[in-house]
C-alpha cells in the first residue's frame, strides 16, 4: 500500500493489478490512494479505480465518484453509475437528480438502483420530481414507488405508461 501511495513511476500494469487487488480485498486503507487514481490520465486506471471503490463500498468515495459522472470516457461514467447505485444512500439520489446530466444512462442506473433500495424512505417531493425525468425507466420506478405508498399520482402515471 505504501508503494501505491508514494511511487510516481509505477508501470501501468502494476497500477491496474494493485487496483484489482485492493478492490477484491476490500481494503479500506486503500480508499484514499484509490480516489487519487480517479484523476489518472489512463482510462483503464480510472475504470479500475471506480470498480475498486465500488467493491470496497466506503462512503467517503461518494463525493469523488459523483465527480466521475462528468468524466469524458463513457465506460468510466457507466462504472461510476453502477458504483454509486451500489454504495450510495438517499443523499446520493438527491445529488444525482440535481445534476444537469440526470438523463445520462449511468445516472439512470444509479438512480433506479438507489430508488429500489430506499423506496421506503425516499422523500415524496423527490419522487414527484423524478416523474418529470427524461428517462422512462426512472419515471416508472418513481411512479411504482409512489403507487406502492398509495399515492394516486403514481398509479395514474403507471396506467398512462
Amino acid at each position: 500500500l505504501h508503494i501505491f501511495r508514494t511511487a510516481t513511476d509505477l508501470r501501468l500494469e502494476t497500477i491496474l493489478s494493485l487496483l484489482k487487488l485492493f478492490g477484491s480485498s476490500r481494503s479500506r486503507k486503500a480508499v484514499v490512494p484509490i480516489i487519487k487514481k480517479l484523476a489518472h490520465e489512463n482510462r483503464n486506471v480510472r475504470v479500475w479505480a471506480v470498480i475498486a471503490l465500488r467493491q470496497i463500498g466506503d462512503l467517503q468515495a461518494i463525493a469523488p465518484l459523483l465527480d466521475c459522472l462528468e468524466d469524458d470516457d463513457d465506460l468510466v461514467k457507466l462504472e461510476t453509475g453502477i458504483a454509486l447505485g451500489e454504495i450510495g444512500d438517499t443523499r446520493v439520489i438527491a445529488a444525482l437528480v440535481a445534476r444537469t446530466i440526470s438523463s445520462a444512462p449511468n445516472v439512470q442506473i444509479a438512480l433506479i438502483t438507489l430508488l429500489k433500495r430506499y423506496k421506503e424512505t425516499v422523500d415524496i417531493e423527490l419522487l414527484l420530481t423524478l416523474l418529470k425525468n427524461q428517462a422512462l425507466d426512472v419515471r416508472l420506478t418513481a411512479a411504482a414507488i409512489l403507487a406502492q405508498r398509495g399515492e394516486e399520482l403514481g398509479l395514474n402515471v403507471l396506467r398512462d405508461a
Side-chain angles (χ1 to χ4, degrees), residues 15-36:
I15 294 171
L16 293 172
S17 295
L18 287 170
L19 287 169
K20 293 172 187 178
L21 174 69
F22 294 142
S24 64
S25 69
R26 291 173 171 55
S27 173
R28 293 201 187 280
K29 293 179 183 176
V31 170
V32 172
I34 293 172
I35 287 171
K36 291 180 181 174

Side-chain angles (χ1 to χ4, degrees), residues 27-87:
S27 173
R28 293 201 187 280
K29 293 179 183 176
V31 170
V32 172
I34 293 172
I35 287 171
K36 291 180 181 174
K37 298 299 181 204
L38 294 173
H40 197 277
E41 63 188 25
N42 184 283
R43 145 209 215 240
N44 291 329
V45 171
R46 295 192 312 276
V47 167
W48 278 101
V50 170
I51 292 170
L53 290 170
R54 181 187 82 218
Q55 291 171 324
I56 295 168
D58 193 298
L59 293 177
Q60 69 178 316
I62 290 176
L65 286 170
L66 285 168
D67 291 339
C68 286
L69 292 172
E70 308 284 347
D71 195 280
D72 291 334
D73 187 87
D74 288 339
L75 185 56
V76 173
K77 291 190 277 195
L78 177 65
E79 289 295 338
T80 300
I82 293 168
L84 286 167
E86 287 187 21
I87 66 174

Side-chain angles (χ1 to χ4, degrees), residues 95-139:
L96 292 173
V97 171
R99 292 183 109 63
T100 58
I101 55 167
S102 63
S103 64
N106 56 313
V107 176
Q108 293 170 27
I109 290 168
L111 272 174
I112 291 168
T113 304
L114 290 167
L115 285 170
K116 288 178 180 177
R117 184 179 319 138
Y118 296 107
K119 63 184 173 190
E120 302 300 323
T121 58
V122 175
D123 182 63
I124 288 187
E125 292 300 318
L126 185 58
L127 290 169
L128 293 173
T129 300
L130 289 173
L131 291 178
K132 300 172 190 157
N133 190 284
Q134 293 176 357
L136 177 62
D137 289 344
V138 172
R139 289 194 311 270

